[in-house]
Amino acid sequence: MIVAIALYAIGNGPIQGFAITLGLGLLTSLFTGVFASRIIINYLWGRDTSHEVKL
């Protein structure tokens, strides 16, 4: 992300477009990786019910 910001600040034209594409790609990969792995883990090991109040 640091490189994407630097490219956008320094570059012009196509370089700025590449920087935006790079940044969006990084953010979507991070978002997908976190949520997809969480879904898989919850499916394999069951839902985390430790936060429920038990009487």
Side-chain angles (χ1 to χ4, degrees):
M1 200 61 181
I2 295 170
V3 172
I5 293 169
L7 281 174
Y8 189 80
I10 295 170
N12 57 6
I15 304 298
Q16 286 182 333
F18 175 72
I20 291 173
T21 305
L22 178 65
L24 288 175
L26 288 170
L27 291 175
T28 55
S29 293
L30 176 70
F31 181 80
T32 304
V34 168
F35 285 104
S37 63
R38 184 172 177 168
I39 289 169
I40 292 169
I41 296 299
N42 282 340
Y43 177 74
L44 291 177
W45 279 281
R47 199 146 179 83
D48 181 20
T49 58
S50 62
H51 65 278
E52 294 179 1
V53 176
K54 296 180 181 178
L55 299 175

